[in-house]
Amino acid sequence: MNELDFEAVKHYILTRLARELPDDLPYHGLHHTRDDVLPAAERLGKLSGLNGEDFLLLQTAALYHDVGYIEQYACNEPVGARIAEETLPGFGYSSVQIEAIRAAILATQMPQAPRTALDQLMCDADLDSLGRDDYLKTSHDLRDELAAHGTVIPLKTWYERQWEFLSGHTYFTEAARKLRRAKKLENVALLESLLNKM
């Protein structure tokens, strides 16, 4: 195993996100990576028994998964995968490790299509908020962000689409299902309630 300098990677990416992300990302801002997806990936990784190199690869993928937003809004995942490919050799990552990270980043594109256990953990970490208490707030942040980028969706339509998405969504990993499934079902019921009042 190479000597991976994860702390240097973390500093590098969080600094770039803080400096280079556009201001009109209430959902996909720095906080989404730093305070949401990275901790979720670490939590799910530990619950799944991941350690050593695989755990570091998951953490690294979580850091890079939305860095593509510094260049473009739509189809940002291939950009993030490219930035990972360009920069990670400088932090001691091998081509095999970088390919696993690239695949995990690309797997988060909608509709999600994970192929490996690492991909599945990354996808579940990215949608961790679906099964949390702050789901409605993050949902509204995403709606506001889409509006800022030219896609205005009426609230009722938004709730209908969110209900449809959550109702059809299943977490890929046992860890995420145990941790978030019950609250996600509550969030489906919350959306139903909001729609019934409209």
Side-chain angles (χ1 to χ4, degrees):
M1 179 174 156
N2 290 358
E3 194 53 50
L4 308 182
D5 195 347
F6 173 74
E7 288 307 317
V9 169
K10 187 175 178 181
H11 176 75
Y12 167 75
I13 282 294
L14 294 180
T15 300
R16 280 199 75 176
L17 292 173
R19 287 182 184 159
E20 298 177 50
L21 278 177
D23 293 331
D24 58 357
L25 297 175
Y27 181 85
H28 287 108
L30 168 64
H31 62 283
H32 174 67
T33 295
R34 182 191 62 205
D35 308 328
D36 188 353
V37 179
L38 178 60
E42 291 170 340
R43 188 167 48 246
L44 293 174
K46 284 175 186 165
L47 288 170
S48 300
L50 222 57
N51 50 39
E53 180 183 8
D54 288 336
F55 190 73
L56 281 174
L57 296 182
L58 177 62
Q59 289 176 295
T60 306
L63 284 169
Y64 274 87
H65 88 285
D66 276 346
V67 76
Y69 281 106
I70 68 177
E71 290 185 21
Q72 66 190 44
Y73 190 74
C75 252
N76 65 87
E77 294 88 358
V79 179
R82 189 200 78 228
I83 293 171
E85 203 169 20
E86 290 168 354
T87 59
L88 285 173
F91 296 104
Y93 288 70
S94 71
S95 57
V96 171
Q97 292 165 333
I98 293 166
E99 185 46 48
I101 291 162
R102 281 184 80 257
I105 294 166
L106 293 172
T108 64
Q109 290 181 97
M110 291 297 182
Q112 293 179 329
R115 289 201 279 260
T116 67
L118 190 73
D119 296 354
Q120 290 181 346
L121 286 163
M122 185 62 242
C123 286
D124 285 352
D126 196 25
L127 294 182
D128 187 62
S129 66
L130 300 184
R132 291 198 321 244
D133 290 334
D134 65 344
Y135 160 72
L136 201 60
K137 184 203 176 303
T138 61
S139 169
H140 282 277
D141 287 345
L142 181 57
R143 179 173 172 257
D144 292 344
E145 181 177 297
L146 289 168
H149 289 266
T151 304
V152 177
I153 302 169
L155 190 58
K156 185 168 191 264
T157 306
W158 179 256
Y159 284 157
E160 287 167 349
R161 289 180 187 176
Q162 288 289 293
W163 179 86
E164 199 173 302
F165 181 68
L166 260 71
S167 298
H169 172 269
T170 305
Y171 284 113
F172 294 103
T173 63
E174 184 63 29
R177 287 193 293 271
K178 278 185 179 169
L179 197 63
R180 298 295 184 214
R181 185 175 178 273
K183 186 65 193 180
K184 192 184 71 169
L185 292 174
E186 285 180 33
N187 289 332
V188 170
L190 171 64
L191 289 165
E192 285 174 0
S193 163
L194 289 167
L195 281 165
N196 288 335
K197 289 174 188 165
M198 294 180 117

